[in-house]
Amino acid sequence: MKTIFAGLYSTVVLVAVIPFGLVDATPFAAVAICMFALSLAALLLFGEPRRAHWVFVWALLLFIATSVWIIIQTIRIPWPSLINPIWKDANALAGASRDTISVAPADTLTSLLYIALPVMTFLTGLIVADTDKRARRILMVLAVGAGLIALFGLGQFLLFPKMLLTESKRYYLDSLTAVFVNRNTAATFLGLNFLILATFASENGRAYFGFSSAPPGSFKEGLGFWLFAGLGLSCLTALMLTQSRAGLFATGLGSIFYLPYLARQWKGRRSRLLAEAGSSVTRNWITVAGAIALILVFAAIFGGRAILRADQRGADDDRFCVWSDTMHALSQNWFQGTGFGTFRTVFSAYRTPDCGIGGIVDRAHSSYLEAFLTLGIIFPVVACLIFFVLMRAFWSGYRARRRLRHYSILGCAGTLLTAAHSAVDFSIQIPGFAIFFMAFLATVISICCGREERVGENRKDLPSSSRIEHSSEILEI
């Protein structure tokens, strides 16, 4: 039954990514209904997760606390000091006042769904991914599906550059956006999936090429290596064609943090033949330097368009002007906020002529600034608690796991990539990517908070190197 639920869960997550990142109301409603039904059924059938139960409880409590505050922002309150000044002006002009914190209560209530859906995705993932085998399979399906999306994006960009899925492309005509409207969201998605695919390519490659304590792997490991490596390079190539400066930088940051660790795992019978070349410390540094150099060379070869764009534009970016006006609005609403989901309404009152008069600014191009402005002082508190819970889970996995310890580093690298890009853009605010990222976190945290399982529980799902290494660990114990 859980296998069926895992398949349905993976399908819903991938479907959420495809229709322009789920920015339209109709596909969003369809995916929300499916995910909420799946969440309810999983909770009723399987109960709370045994793995990562404390993470499940913390996530639920933080979601409830945030939801309560958002609802408070939409109701009449008896404290005049918290009421947004706009209602005082409305009362003087029209003789009617809502007396609420939010400047647009209806928008605030509607926007609550944009938090609820990713949170339900995360909680459901913790319930369904209750073993290493199931968690890894879910993550593998998501990685392959996202890799195929990258291949589709490459094909459409090369053959039909003016098309986005089945519609004519209106924005970013010179950049690859895959199935997303915005190139920065596509860059975050592709960069995150590149790290996931690198993980599976490394696991299969170590076994197949003999860079482990196990005998050389079978044809299955070899096929897996070339599949994941090919899809990973496709994601990386597509990332370069997005021309997203911040996306390229964030992915490079995550890669430099994670790939050297993966490279250091490539050791075994063949690596012992190189022992005479120097000490283990020297070899480790050479491996790390080689991994970093490979990243930089690939970026220099295929990322020329993004680098050229960064060189031409430099610090000339409209988002700096938006940030300045957002900070001005934040200075007057930092405590109670203006109501979640009201940035578009609020920003127009603080927009200066320096930012131009054309178009409507509906995003702050910084998820942290926008959330702080709309939620108020509760946002930095909740954000710090979220990062604390994530880092504690990853640290727990790093200390407790042996065979799958690299998943804790993967979780840190993926979080670093997404968090860094969210500081200068709004990828995490796009529902499709938020759902994908929450599913990624759920599976990785499930592995981090799990125990070392018996070999028989995961024998069919692991590369031969991992199976034999795990058997050796049990014998040592």
Side-chain angles (χ1 to χ4, degrees), residues 23-47:
V23 294
D24 294 329
T26 301
F28 178 88
V31 170
I33 291 172
C34 293
M35 184 59 73
F36 289 151
L38 195 65
S39 302
L40 181 61
L43 184 60
L44 292 176
L45 289 174
F46 311 125

Side-chain angles (χ1 to χ4, degrees), residues 134-323:
R134 192 167 289 115
R136 293 181 69 255
R137 283 190 172 179
I138 291 174
L139 193 60
M140 191 178 298
V141 170
L142 296 181
V144 172
L148 294 177
I149 290 174
L151 281 176
F152 169 80
L154 281 171
Q156 188 168 58
F157 180 72
L158 295 175
L159 300 176
F160 309 100
K162 295 184 179 180
M163 294 294 295
L164 180 59
L165 292 179
T166 59
E167 298 182 6
S168 298
K169 201 172 185 179
R170 292 179 291 175
Y171 310 103
Y172 307 109
L173 298 179
D174 62 338
S175 302
L176 184 148
T177 61
V179 295
F180 298 94
V181 177
N182 188 280
R183 63 181 164 209
N184 296 294
T185 307
T188 315
F189 173 77
L190 293 167
L192 177 62
N193 197 55
F194 165 70
L195 296 182
I196 302 173
L197 288 167
T199 302
F200 291 117
S202 176
E203 289 178 352
N204 286 273
R206 288 174 57 222
Y208 183 68
F209 294 108
F211 283 92
S212 65
S213 58
S218 63
F219 174 77
K220 179 182 177 181
E221 275 83 14
L223 182 63
F225 169 76
W226 292 113
L227 171 65
F228 294 124
L231 291 177
L233 291 176
S234 298
C235 284
L236 201 55
T237 304
L239 168 65
M240 304 302 173
L241 294 176
T242 63
Q243 300 190 60
S244 172
R245 297 164 295 176
L248 184 62
F249 173 80
T251 302
L253 192 64
S255 299
I256 290 174
F257 181 82
Y258 180 54
L259 295 188
Y261 183 87
L262 279 185
R264 289 179 59 185
Q265 291 186 319
W266 284 59
K267 57 185 178 181
R269 295 178 298 104
R270 293 189 179 185
S271 63
R272 284 196 294 270
L273 298 177
L274 302 176
E276 298 178 358
S279 65
S280 60
V281 175
T282 303
R283 292 197 307 275
N284 286 339
W285 277 108
I286 292 175
T287 303
V288 171
I292 295 176
L294 183 63
I295 298 170
L296 296 177
V297 168
F298 194 93
I301 295 175
F302 295 98
R305 299 179 69 176
I307 295 172
L308 177 62
R309 179 169 171 261
D311 182 63
Q312 291 177 341
R313 296 289 298 273
D316 181 20
D317 199 309
D318 293 339
R319 75 186 67 192
F320 296 132
C321 183
V322 173
W323 289 347

Side-chain angles (χ1 to χ4, degrees), residues 44 71 74 95 108 147 150 205 227 265 291 319 374 391 403 447 475:
L44 292 176
I71 293 173
T74 65
T108 298
L227 171 65
Q265 291 186 319
R319 75 186 67 192
T374 57
M391 291 305 110
R403 174 173 48 86
I447 295 173
L475 290 175

